[in-house]
């Protein structure tokens, strides 16, 4: 998985992005945990450092009923 860090012009943009990603991470962490139990550290790390595209991909895969390994198998560029 490749991790892309966006370029920010201002600290406010960086802060807003961090808040958005934190909220997405909390939601995405909670939903699979209800189905699979506590998530392994590797997946938590992926969510902490994943780009927006990854969150969309993971959410789609979860909705498709895939296994935890399949959900986090790779990213959009892989």
């Amino acid at each position: 998985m490749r991790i892309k860090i966006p370029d920010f012009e201002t600290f406010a943009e960086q802060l807003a992005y961090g808040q958005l990603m934190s909220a997405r991470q909390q939601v995405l962490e909670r939903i699979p945990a209800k189905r699979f139990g506590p998530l392994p550290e590797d997946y938590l790390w992926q969510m902490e450092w994943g780009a927006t595209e990854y969150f969309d991909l993971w959410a789609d895969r979860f909705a498709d009923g895939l296994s935890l390994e399949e959900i986090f198998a790779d990213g959009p560029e892989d």
Side-chain angles (χ1 to χ4, degrees):
M1 173 175 80
R2 294 183 207 138
I3 298 172
K4 294 189 311 187
I5 299 174
D7 292 326
F8 301 104
E9 301 219 2
T10 66
F11 178 72
E13 289 176 350
Q14 184 178 3
L15 183 61
Y17 181 81
Q19 290 171 333
L20 171 67
M21 296 307 289
S22 178
R24 293 183 107 183
Q25 179 184 353
Q26 289 173 8
V27 170
L28 191 60
E29 184 179 332
R30 181 183 171 143
I31 295 171
K34 291 280 278 183
R35 181 168 151 200
F36 300 110
L39 299 179
E41 288 294 319
D42 289 349
Y43 300 139
L44 295 174
W45 184 88
Q46 280 183 264
M47 285 191 287
E48 185 172 341
W49 293 99
T52 301
E53 306 88 59
Y54 291 110
F55 283 88
D56 295 339
L57 176 66
W58 296 330
D60 290 344
R61 288 178 175 176
F62 181 79
D64 289 339
L66 300 179
S67 70
L68 195 56
E69 293 78 19
E70 292 170 317
I71 291 169
F72 292 99
D74 55 11
E77 300 95 16
D78 296 338

